[in-house]
Amino acid sequence: MKKIIITGGAGFIGSHVVRRFVTTYPEYQIINLDKLTYAGNLANLKDIENAPNYKFVKGDIVDLEFINNLFATEQPDAVVHLAAESHVDRSITNPLEFVMTNVVGTVNLLNAAKNLWKGEYDKKRFYHVSTDEVYGTLGETDMFTEQTAYDPHSPYSASKASSDHFVRAYHDTYGMDTVISNCSNNYGSYHFPEKLIPLAIHNITENKPVPVYGKGENVRDWLWVEDHARAIDVIFHNAATGTTYNIGGHNEWKNIDLIQLLCRILDKKLNREEGESAKLITYVTDRAGHDLRYAIDATKLKNELGWTPSITFEEGLEKTVDWYLSNNEWLKNVTSGHYQDYYSEQYNNR
Ligand code: NAD
Ligand code: TYD
């Protein structure tokens, strides 16, 4: 019997990882540890909340005493660590919160695991989920490999880079079994509408302006979230100790092209005239320090562990738009209250 603490399991990617582990491995005990910040939502896990091998624990990874007690009580065999502050725009407004959760929180978890697992590091695993943003920004043709030097630019990516370094340090210094994956931008169901794709779907549907930063020329490499969750499963079970894998779908889009595609899809789905949704596109002041291009080379993951994306971007985007259109209640709940304050602070004077 394996007991795994998954942190950040009530968030976007974490909820897909929790669901995958709970349903694929009934013999594992899955503990979802989450603080339930604005980004955490137990409604993301309604379908599995009563599964016998699932338990939710509310708590803050920055709280060292709480973390030490939890590890002592639960005696986990592994950690899959996703809890983080994850939005670049929020990191520009409040960098310290990102240092606390992403750096201090990660070190707290590493310490608790180091103390609990002493003498049996070869039987336990600490899996750290990270981002391609640690590598910085690309020119027009190159790609991020696992050898690319770290060069973060936003407070978010700087905090994730720092946490990656700590995870490697715990492997190199103490011999802990650690694994890191760096993934490109995700999209899919349960994505909080502060990030580009769900925000655009939401605004187009509501006939609100769709904000495009700068000229919309920035390029992101998009991966369907369920393919990311499957990659995490494959890497967790098969990667050698101390290794790193990049995860991505070879799927680069300029922001403006992506938004125009979403407008066309939604024109059809909402029975609008062709071109009607695109009238909502509104260019706004660029993000400070905006990375131009991200692109992941996931050859190592494909060659060594056989993972490739399961669906095309067109299929994934269609599924995602359909999910948002038929989960209006979920969207309404997450966009009420504090979301309105956040939205006006971010966008009203842009
Ligand atoms: P998210 O913001 O949707 O979810 C983060 C979760 O962590 C939330 O449930 C939140 O409540 C929880 N959390 C935040 N602070 C916490 C704390 N102090 N203690 C306990 N729980 C806390 O994020 P996401 O998009 O699902 O990202 C998950 C992980 O994947 C992050 O580590 C992120 O850096 C990484 N990642 C994200 C993307 C992406 O495109 N979203 C891509 C690559 C990597
Ligand atoms: P985002 O979803 O915030 O992810 P990240 O910054 O981690 O890549 O943004 C994706 C891209 O879309 C990024 O280049 C910024 C841009 N963007 C907009 O143009 N408008 C928006 O309202 C948002 C949220 C993002």
Side-chain angles (χ1 to χ4, degrees):
M1 172 85 78
K2 232 186 211 157
K3 200 183 254 195
I4 306 174
I5 291 182
I6 299 182
T7 71
F12 166 47
I13 302 171
S15 62
H16 286 280
V17 174
V18 165
R19 180 176 296 100
R20 182 172 179 94
F21 274 68
V22 165
T23 55
T24 315
Y25 305 104
E27 70 278 23
Y28 292 176
Q29 280 296 324
I30 303 299
I31 298 168
N32 172 13
L33 162 60
D34 199 295
K35 184 182 172 184
L36 298 182
T37 67
Y38 77 94
N41 185 355
L42 289 177
N44 298 0
L45 290 162
K46 265 249 149 300
D47 53 328
I48 56 113
E49 68 185 2
N50 295 320
N53 62 336
Y54 170 73
K55 178 161 114 181
F56 172 70
V57 176
K58 185 171 189 293
D60 186 345
I61 58 171
V62 178
D63 182 344
L64 181 58
E65 202 185 325
F66 162 76
I67 291 298
N68 285 338
N69 286 338
L70 181 74
F71 275 62
T73 320
E74 295 292 351
Q75 305 269 318
D77 302 298
V79 173
V80 179
H81 176 35
L82 295 105
E85 286 293 335
S86 69
H87 188 35
V88 174
D89 292 329
R90 288 184 191 254
S91 81
I92 294 168
T93 316
N94 190 356
L96 192 57
E97 201 163 344
F98 283 66
V99 175
M100 293 313 291
T101 287
N102 298 1
V103 186
V104 177
T106 300
V107 176
N108 281 345
L109 291 167
L110 283 165
N111 263 334
K114 174 169 86 70
N115 295 337
L116 178 69
W117 297 341
K118 209 176 216 136
E120 41 178 5
Y121 290 150
D122 56 330
K123 296 187 198 71
K124 313 288 179 182
R125 170 151 282 186
F126 191 102
Y127 185 137
H128 179 59
V129 175
S130 192
T131 166
D132 60 355
E133 302 193 27
V134 299
Y135 297 124
T137 185
L138 292 167
E140 270 180 20
T141 53
D142 43 347
M143 296 185 98
F144 298 134
T145 72
E146 290 80 358
Q147 276 71 50
T148 303
Y150 277 30
D151 183 23
H153 298 289
S154 72
Y156 164 64
S157 54
S159 68
K160 290 297 289 188
S162 174
S163 64
D164 291 12
H165 289 317
F166 272 104
V167 173
R168 284 199 184 91
Y170 272 65
H171 175 262
D172 296 347
T173 307
Y174 308 110
M176 270 175 68
D177 178 324
T178 65
V179 177
I180 300 175
S181 57
N182 298 86
C183 188
S184 60
N185 287 61
N186 285 216
Y187 71 95
S189 53
Y190 303 108
H191 203 181
F192 192 77
E194 64 181 352
K195 308 276 172 72
L196 180 66
I197 290 183
L199 186 140
I201 296 173
H202 181 226
N203 285 17
I204 295 168
T205 312
E206 300 265 298
N207 258 312
K208 286 195 189 133
V210 182
V212 177
Y213 296 170
K215 295 189 176 126
E217 298 282 315
N218 303 66
V219 174
R220 295 294 183 263
D221 183 355
W222 295 96
L223 181 71
W224 189 45
V225 63
E226 293 186 37
D227 277 330
H228 186 191
R230 186 167 49 83
I232 289 172
D233 179 351
V234 168
I235 294 168
F236 176 78
H237 287 99
N238 299 292
T241 181
T243 50
T244 295
Y245 285 88
N246 280 355
I247 308 173
H250 287 281
N251 179 44
E252 291 179 51
W253 284 81
K254 262 189 196 160
N255 291 339
I256 188 62
D257 295 340
L258 171 57
I259 289 172
Q260 271 161 350
L261 174 61
L262 278 173
C263 288
R264 286 196 296 276
I265 294 175
L266 278 156
D267 276 346
K268 284 205 189 107
K269 304 246 178 221
L270 299 172
N271 294 318
R272 290 180 183 169
E273 266 178 41
E274 208 181 311
E276 200 180 324
S277 299
K279 290 183 192 148
L280 298 166
I281 293 173
T282 307
Y283 291 92
V284 300
T285 308
D286 207 353
R287 173 187 280 170
H290 198 172
D291 286 336
L292 180 64
R293 175 172 167 259
Y294 302 146
I296 277 279
D297 180 349
T299 308
K300 180 182 174 191
L301 180 56
K302 181 178 173 205
N303 289 351
E304 292 186 4
L305 304 183
W307 175 93
T308 51
S310 68
I311 60 172
T312 64
F313 188 51
E314 286 68 20
E315 289 169 314
L317 209 55
E318 177 105 18
K319 271 179 192 282
T320 303
V321 170
D322 286 343
W323 187 86
Y324 279 93
L325 292 179
S326 50
N327 284 275
N328 208 24
E329 210 44 42
W330 181 91
L331 202 53
K332 240 205 263 163
N333 284 338
V334 300
T335 53
S336 61
H338 290 311
Y339 179 82
Q340 301 301 335
D341 302 334
Y342 160 80
Y343 198 89
S344 40
E345 203 180 302
Q346 277 294 331
Y347 292 99
N348 279 1
N349 298 315
R350 241 186 147 111

